[in-house]
Amino acid sequence: MNSEEQIRLTQTVKKGGCAAKLPAGELKEILTGMNIFRPKELIVGTETMDDACLWDLKDGRYLIQTLDFFTPIVDDPFDFGAIAAANAVSDVYAMGGQPATALTILAFPGSLLPLSVIRPLMDGALSILSKAGIALAGGHTIDDETLKLGFSVSGFVDKNKAWTNAGAKAGDVLILTKPLGTGTITAALKKGEAKESWIKEAIKSMTTLNNITRELEEIDVHSATDITGFGLAGHATQMALASRLHFTVDLNKLEFLEGAKECLESGFLTRAHTTNASYTQNKIEWNISINQKDYWPEWKQKIIFDPQTSGGLLLAIPETQAQKALEIIKNSGFVKAGIIGKVSRSETRTAVKFEAK
Amino acid sequence: MNSEEQIRLTQTVKKGGCAAKLPAGELKEILTGMNIFRPKELIVGTETMDDACLWDLKDGRYLIQTLDFFTPIVDDPFDFGAIAAANAVSDVYAMGGQPATALTILAFPGSLLPLSVIRPLMDGALSILSKAGIALAGGHTIDDETLKLGFSVSGFVDKNKAWTNAGAKAGDVLILTKPLGTGTITAALKKGEAKESWIKEAIKSMTTLNNITRELEEIDVHSATDITGFGLAGHATQMALASRLHFTVDLNKLEFLEGAKECLESGFLTRAHTTNASYTQNKIEWNISINQKDYWPEWKQKIIFDPQTSGGLLLAIPETQAQKALEIIKNSGFVKAGIIGKVSRSETRTAVKFEAK
């Protein structure tokens, strides 16, 4: 083992991954009323809090653009690079597109880590970018106090095949492609309290590309988003609000990563667990029946606020096509994908109901 | 004056602006031989260290993509936002294009600064983005130890009108559009040693968009780059190497920002002054005649290593069109633009000669 292998990246930062986002609610308030230039080519901008923007290229395609970056949530540089890449690319898939280029965003603590660590970081990222057919085409690096890595990713989608978070229809079912729990597991990892098998499954999940847009071409995907820093509650809320409909999520249909329940029960939380709860406070409601109260104690409910890094896609699909879509998704390697809820007209003032009956 | 106005952004960071880049030479060595996927649509990637990448949209246009971000180099949030935007957009102009979209890269120290500071930061950025006709279309924010702001900017250029840093021709003259010295002046600013008038001129220069691509449409611009963190020496070297030609720069033709000489003489330097010198060590040569030795003491020579934030464009233009081009550029508001050198076939092993005769 050489000196580089002994570096534990998570010990160089306070907060890891998508857990380090700024509180969304406060941010939104501060930025309200900004004077943003809005040309007609911009089909999707910031208004609907979608995963990426869409720009009309006027040749039958939309250009998709997104960026994401964060601090280490795992210790190994190669793994962190791979996760950062898969996480950034995910937004392009969430718009129904295929990614094409990536630019690196790297803040590196030259006084804390040898510069040579950049190589395994980038090798890890490239292992994912190459798999996704993405050209690494540039980027920017700065010397910084703590390590941050991410990518600005662009891709393309046929105009009539784009998915947004605003297209869900009443009667649709909701499919989630990956299990939840990367936030709490990586919080435990940082404290040295996560089992190797938990970490391994979490890394496998986070480095799995959400690349199912082509496989789902025959399915009428009405709406899509990927679950990241704002957790299932936050992103489901954004999608319900953008679609002006109501979502009902069946808590008992949610899949947990191995160890996620143990980590939540032991109280391994991030600040995002709190800010995500506060962000969605007046937008979600709970409906846990009396006989489910014991099975859904407060610690377990926190799974919906768990900040996901490189989380799964949340898809709204016509009920008639749901089983077929689920089969395609599972056959694409997302074995824990499942139908977790449904879309209906708004009956209440909330956007999403989480129920266990 | 409210509490926000008393915050001095430069006091919250160790290094500011493009001075915080990682050493280019070491980086290049570490990343050599990486296995990068290279589709044929990628016309300009990372190989020539150009300002941005070019992607063939196959509709007569190239998509231009670039990103840049850094720590505060001025104290006022609005000014810093404006500088960060102008600096990031510059790379699109340096490729001969027009920018279209920007995504925000924001790392914000929530424990150090009130979140409300984000508003003037973004208002400053938007003042520039709007002027450039750019839609702010998304981005990512994280909680971090120190403030960093930047943008991933995209634009378009007609295939036959793209400028790269690899197209200079022997016989061309070199035009630099902005005066040098933002690195040393902002280093003095951070120490509280810069005069108000120096700061004001530097901010004006850094918030001036390098938007002269349309004005120069009738000129045969053979090659272009913008001068940023690697300084005039670094970027001229990259352009000479990419063009496989030799540049000669007349030191006495260089324009300094007001106060830049005083700041250099007083020793206000950044780490980039050293790393830029080391990066270009075997690639540049000096030719200062005996009667110029007193006029070009060592402290003054450092201007070529001075890291520029939102610096000017360096353009290679046929000698016959040089005066006309210069007139257009000066009429566009770049009053200190000038012809600073010439392009010739390589006679020596170096890329750039800096001479004073």
Side-chain angles (χ1 to χ4, degrees), chain B residues 182-232:
Chain B
T182 67
T184 187
I185 289 172
T186 54
L189 184 164
K190 197 166 152 55
K191 299 273 187 189
E193 300 283 345
K195 285 190 193 164
E196 270 307 311
S197 64
W198 302 351
I199 298 171
K200 213 172 150 188
E201 198 204 348
I203 289 174
K204 195 180 164 206
S205 180
M206 290 187 282
T207 55
T208 299
L209 284 165
N210 281 326
N211 185 8
I212 45 169
T213 55
R214 281 191 185 134
E215 286 76 0
L216 290 177
E217 263 183 356
E218 48 185 317
I219 303 292
D220 300 315
V221 176
H222 287 155
S223 192
T225 195
D226 63 342
I227 308 302
T228 55
F230 299 132
L232 176 62

Side-chain angles (χ1 to χ4, degrees), chain B residues 138-284:
Chain B
H140 188 70
T141 58
I142 64 164
D143 196 12
D144 197 11
E145 276 86 7
T146 53
L147 180 60
K148 262 91 56 187
L149 178 64
F151 297 89
S152 177
V153 183
S154 291
F156 303 96
V157 63
D158 285 357
K159 280 176 79 155
N160 53 4
K161 287 182 182 164
W163 301 343
T164 74
N165 70 352
K169 293 194 167 70
D172 285 351
V173 299
L174 296 168
I175 293 180
L176 180 61
T177 64
K178 289 186 185 179
L180 300 167
T182 67
T184 187
I185 289 172
T186 54
L189 184 164
K190 197 166 152 55
K191 299 273 187 189
E193 300 283 345
K195 285 190 193 164
E196 270 307 311
S197 64
W198 302 351
I199 298 171
K200 213 172 150 188
E201 198 204 348
I203 289 174
K204 195 180 164 206
S205 180
M206 290 187 282
T207 55
T208 299
L209 284 165
N210 281 326
N211 185 8
I212 45 169
T213 55
R214 281 191 185 134
E215 286 76 0
L216 290 177
E217 263 183 356
E218 48 185 317
I219 303 292
D220 300 315
V221 176
H222 287 155
S223 192
T225 195
D226 63 342
I227 308 302
T228 55
F230 299 132
L232 176 62
H235 293 284
T237 293
Q238 288 171 356
M239 190 164 149
L241 290 176
S243 299
R244 295 166 187 273
L245 288 167
H246 185 77
F247 288 5
T248 305
V249 171
D250 185 345
L251 289 166
N252 290 321
K253 296 285 172 60
L254 297 182
E255 291 280 352
F256 289 66
L257 281 168
E258 191 197 331
K261 283 180 191 163
E262 289 87 335
C263 292
L264 281 177
E265 189 162 18
S266 303
F268 291 111
L269 299 176
T270 65
R271 199 179 69 149
H273 284 94
T274 308
T275 55
N276 288 344
S278 126
Y279 170 49
T280 52
Q281 198 173 9
N282 299 313
K283 300 175 193 110
I284 66 165

Side-chain angles (χ1 to χ4, degrees), chain B residues 19 70 85 87 116 165 202 220 241 334 346:
Chain B
F70 47 69
N87 181 71
S116 57
N165 70 352
D220 300 315
L241 290 176
F334 299 88
S346 297

Side-chain angles (χ1 to χ4, degrees), chain A residues 20 26 30 32 37 57 61 65 68-69 101 115 119 133 140-141 143-146 148 152 154 271, chain B residues 20 26-27 30 32 37 55 57 61 65 68-69 101 115 119 133 140 143-146 148 152 154 271:
Chain A
E26 282 180 67
I30 290 164
T32 297
F37 173 68
L57 287 170
R61 293 177 299 171
Q65 293 179 291
D68 220 333
F69 61 100
T101 65
L115 278 181
R119 183 60 188 258
H140 188 70
T141 59
D143 197 11
D144 198 11
E145 276 87 7
T146 52
K148 262 92 56 187
S152 177
S154 291
R271 198 178 71 148
Chain B
E26 282 180 67
L27 251 189
I30 289 164
T32 297
F37 173 68
W55 179 271
L57 287 171
R61 293 177 299 172
Q65 294 179 291
D68 221 332
F69 61 101
T101 65
L115 278 182
R119 184 57 188 261
H140 188 70
D143 196 12
D144 197 11
E145 276 86 7
T146 53
K148 262 91 56 187
S152 177
S154 291
R271 199 179 69 149

